[in-house]
Amino acid sequence: MQNEHPVLGILGGLGPMSTVYFYQMLTEHTPAQCDQDHLDIVISSRASTPDRTAYILGESEDDPFAQMERDAEMLVKYGATILAIPCNTAHYFYDRLARSLPVPILNMVRLTVQHAKAQGCTRLGILATSGTVGSCTYQRMCRAEGIDFAIPSLPRQTQLMNIIYDQIKKGQRADMKIFMEIAAELRAAGCEKAVLGCTELSLIKRDEGLDSFFIDSTEVLAEETLLACGKTPIGF
């Protein structure tokens, strides 16, 4: 007999700690009195998936899409009826992946930009990997939603990549002095909000605490995932 409940598939491992945090967030924000009140979830955490930014920037010929597609198909075969990808950079491949699968995929980037717009933001700062920035993933979505945007200067973007790859991905705390200087540049550029458009940056909000200037894309995805699966989120 087919499961009547939605089954969430998480295409993860991009990176692993972000997948852990996303799963934890889903669990903590579900109104539940018992185990059975939580979502049915299947998770793929393929940490060996080739680096998305390196491929997008032409620094590697190792295309991550084939592995992502195989893992997504595996999740569907296992029973997933809707997918979420807690990795902004991986959304470079969103359209190709969505066309190849028989189930819907939540679009983290679209949902986050729509969330910013709903909060009245007219100019959004984009804090993301150089792959996400270089592929204009957030910029295109901002244009589609009719809001302006700004990205860090090249020196600041280099510093941000250092925070993502040389600090957070290595299990270290972020250099908050540098991070806040990057954010200050976006504030000075007229941004009313800035998106934490890399799931590693979401861990800064978790570990360091950030003010309402920052919109956490992982939080947005978690809230929208719960709604898509028929749950009323709590605690956001």
Side-chain angles (χ1 to χ4, degrees):
M1 186 175 180
Q2 188 175 2
N3 192 341
E4 296 178 357
H5 299 285
V7 178
L8 174 65
I10 300 177
L11 187 61
L14 317 168
M17 186 54 71
S18 300
T19 302
V20 171
Y21 185 40
F22 180 59
Y23 180 36
Q24 178 183 348
M25 196 177 288
L26 290 172
T27 305
E28 289 179 345
H29 292 280
T30 298
Q33 301 299 316
C34 61
D35 291 348
Q36 290 72 25
D37 289 338
H38 285 278
L39 297 181
D40 290 333
I41 302 176
V42 289
I43 301 173
S44 168
S45 186
R46 185 79 63 180
S48 59
T49 303
D51 187 85
R52 282 67 59 201
T53 291
Y55 177 78
I56 292 168
L57 296 179
E59 298 169 355
S60 169
E61 295 181 358
D62 202 356
D63 188 347
F65 178 76
Q67 185 63 65
M68 290 173 57
E69 184 179 40
R70 285 194 295 270
D71 289 337
E73 290 171 347
M74 177 191 70
L75 290 170
V76 173
K77 289 179 181 178
Y78 201 78
T81 57
I82 186 170
L83 297 187
I85 310 171
C87 173
N88 287 274
T89 309
H91 281 67
Y92 172 81
F93 307 96
Y94 177 89
D95 290 339
R96 289 171 64 190
L97 196 61
R99 286 193 298 267
S100 72
L101 296 174
V103 301
I105 309 173
L106 294 166
N107 190 311
M108 185 181 205
V109 177
R110 179 183 298 116
L111 292 168
T112 301
V113 172
Q114 289 175 341
H115 179 84
K117 184 177 180 179
Q119 289 192 340
C121 179
T122 61
R123 185 169 172 84
L124 180 66
I126 300 169
L127 296 169
T129 65
S130 294
T132 299
V133 172
S135 63
C136 296
T137 305
Y138 265 96
Q139 295 94 310
R140 283 197 302 270
M141 201 61 73
C142 284
R143 291 189 189 103
E145 292 296 328
I147 66 174
D148 198 6
F149 58 84
I151 61 174
S153 62
L154 184 56
R156 290 302 190 187
Q157 182 63 36
T158 300
Q159 291 177 324
L160 187 62
M161 284 292 284
N162 178 65
I163 288 173
I164 294 169
Y165 275 83
D166 296 330
Q167 295 174 16
I168 301 174
K169 280 184 177 289
K170 292 182 178 180
Q172 301 173 15
R173 301 292 282 266
D175 184 328
M176 290 305 295
K177 179 177 182 296
I178 296 296
F179 178 77
M180 295 309 292
E181 287 175 358
I182 299 168
E185 182 183 71
L186 294 176
R187 288 180 191 263
C191 295
E192 300 139 332
K193 299 281 185 181
V195 58
L196 300 173
C198 170
T199 46
E200 268 73 34
L201 297 179
S202 299
L203 301 175
I204 293 180
K205 183 174 183 183
R206 182 195 69 180
D207 295 337
E208 310 293 347
L210 295 173
D211 64 28
S212 60
F213 176 69
F214 300 94
I215 296 175
D216 182 1
S217 60
T218 303
E219 283 188 7
V220 173
L221 181 62
E223 184 173 7
E224 294 295 335
T225 297
L226 288 168
L227 288 169
C229 291
K231 301 293 185 180
T232 301
I234 56 173
F236 283 109

